[in-house]
């Protein structure tokens, strides 16, 4: 798909037509975007800062790669993913974020690769899918991530995520979700997968488990850096 130059810049992204790499890493937090660029990229350049949603492009092991924040929730990531896929000709978006375990099998500190993502949202109706669409990642990106994880010796799990529209949700039985094979809950993966499918592009969510919804246990601050670094190594090597 050719860049729609007449739509660049967009109301939400001020970058130039060639400012983004083919692959964009997408954390939720704009400050996390800045941290990734400054700590993992070579020669990072700020290419977007509209509404404080920071986007950077640099190089990782010599290859051009970008990172830009998505904000929180399905509507926010759908907006940015749509513009990156359809106006900036981005081919791959890899979400890098946190998730809360809903399964006794998934421990705090685990790195998760989201093969699929169920949701309580009805955004697929707004996107015009003619069926009850089941959001799934790009097989090629997932295959690369699994291979890189094994190569690097990073402990990870592959499976289904639950994308919720509601952060403080007391209506869903999380124990039952876990018993049905759902690994963890987060707020963006299913929406990203749906936009990628609609755009004919590729998407993957890689998450670190920061807490357990079942027990209330939170990852200690001293462990977060290690887990985040493992997640980022996996995402960058996949990119």
């Amino acid at each position: 798909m050719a860049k729609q130059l007449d739509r660049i810049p967009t109301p939400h992204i001020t970058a130039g037509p060639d400012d983004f790499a083919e692959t964009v890493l997408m954390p939720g937090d704009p400050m996390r975007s800045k941290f990734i660029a400054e700590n993992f990229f070579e020669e990072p350049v700020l290419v977007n800062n509209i509404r404080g949603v920071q986007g950077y492009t640099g190089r990782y092991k010599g290859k051009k790669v970008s990172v830009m924040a998505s904000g929180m929730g399905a509507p926010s990531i759908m907006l940015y993913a749509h513009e990156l896929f359809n106006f900036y000709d981005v081919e791959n978006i890899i979400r890098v974020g946190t998730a809360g375990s809903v399964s006794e099998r998934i421990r705090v500190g685990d790195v998760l690769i989201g093969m699929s993502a169920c949701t309580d949202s009805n955004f697929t109706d707004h996107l015009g899918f003619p069926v009850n669409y089941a959001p799934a990642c790009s097989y090629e990106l997932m295959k690369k991530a699994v291979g890189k994880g094994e190569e690097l010796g990073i402990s990870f799990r592959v499976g289904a995520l639950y994308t919720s529209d509601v952060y403080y949700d007391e209506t869903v039985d999380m124990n039952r979700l876990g018993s049905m094979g759902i690994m963890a809950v987060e707020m963006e993966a299913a929406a990203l997968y749906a936009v990628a499918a609609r755009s004919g592009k590729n998407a993957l969510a890689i998450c670190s488990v920061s807490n357990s919804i079942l027990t209330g246990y939170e990852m200690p601050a001293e462990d977060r850096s290690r887990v985040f670094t493992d997640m980022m190594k996996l995402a960058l090597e996949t990119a």
Side-chain angles (χ1 to χ4, degrees), residues 207-227:
C207 297
S208 58
V209 179
S210 59
N211 63 296
S212 169
I213 304 297
L214 303 183
T215 67
Y217 178 74
E218 298 271 350
M219 182 189 298
E222 58 270 21
D223 292 340
R224 291 178 185 173
S225 177
R226 173 188 58 80
V227 174

Side-chain angles (χ1 to χ4, degrees), residues 5 15 25 34 40 42 48 108 110 137 156 182 184 187 200 203 205 207:
L5 297 177
L25 306 181
K34 183 175 186 288
F40 295 94
E42 303 157 12
N48 182 70
V108 172
D110 282 350
C137 74
F156 64 89
I182 306 298
M187 300 185 73
C207 297

Side-chain angles (χ1 to χ4, degrees), residues 143-164:
K143 181 180 177 182
K144 289 179 182 177
V146 168
K148 288 297 182 181
E150 292 173 346
E151 180 183 315
L152 294 167
I154 294 173
S155 177
F156 64 89
R157 293 176 178 268
V158 180
L161 301 172
Y162 165 50
T163 299
S164 177

Side-chain angles (χ1 to χ4, degrees), residues 23-234:
T23 300
V24 177
L25 306 181
M26 189 161 273
D29 185 352
M31 295 309 296
R32 185 65 57 82
S33 178
K34 183 175 186 288
F35 178 87
I36 292 169
E38 292 179 347
N39 288 274
F40 295 94
F41 286 9
E42 303 157 12
E43 301 176 350
V45 176
L46 181 68
V47 297
N48 182 70
N49 199 22
I50 287 289
R51 304 186 184 190
V53 177
Q54 298 186 34
Y56 294 84
T57 294
R59 294 191 176 275
Y60 178 76
K61 294 186 176 179
K63 181 172 181 178
K64 185 178 179 182
V65 65
S66 297
V67 60
M68 192 175 85
S70 70
M72 290 184 67
S76 187
I77 198 169
M78 288 170 70
L79 184 156
Y80 291 112
H82 176 84
E83 293 186 359
L84 289 172
F85 281 143
N86 294 283
F87 304 150
Y88 285 92
D89 210 18
V90 168
E91 291 294 324
N92 314 294
I93 294 179
I94 301 175
R95 162 165 157 68
V96 285
T98 57
S101 169
V102 296
S103 169
E104 294 179 355
R105 300 180 298 107
I106 305 300
R107 301 186 302 269
V108 172
D110 282 350
V111 174
L112 309 180
I113 298 174
M115 180 168 59
S116 63
C118 59
T119 183
D120 60 355
S121 179
N122 69 341
F123 56 74
T124 55
D125 292 341
H126 297 287
L127 291 176
F129 285 94
V131 295
N132 193 8
Y133 176 70
C137 74
S138 158
Y139 172 75
E140 289 301 323
L141 285 181
M142 183 183 73
K143 181 180 177 182
K144 289 179 182 177
V146 168
K148 288 297 182 181
E150 292 173 346
E151 180 183 315
L152 294 167
I154 294 173
S155 177
F156 64 89
R157 293 176 178 268
V158 180
L161 301 172
Y162 165 50
T163 299
S164 177
D165 266 350
V166 182
Y167 188 87
Y168 297 105
D169 190 353
E170 299 178 357
T171 65
V172 176
D173 186 343
M174 296 295 179
N175 280 286
R176 188 174 182 193
L177 286 181
S179 71
M180 295 173 68
I182 306 298
M183 299 188 296
V185 58
E186 49 81 74
M187 300 185 73
E188 291 84 23
L192 174 61
Y193 291 176
V195 172
R198 187 169 181 256
S199 304
K201 301 297 181 76
N202 307 301
L204 180 66
I206 302 177
C207 297
S208 58
V209 179
S210 59
N211 63 296
S212 169
I213 304 297
L214 303 183
T215 67
Y217 178 74
E218 298 271 350
M219 182 189 298
E222 58 270 21
D223 292 340
R224 291 178 185 173
S225 177
R226 173 188 58 80
V227 174
F228 179 74
T229 298
D230 283 348
M231 177 181 65
M232 283 310 308
K233 282 182 180 178
L234 184 55

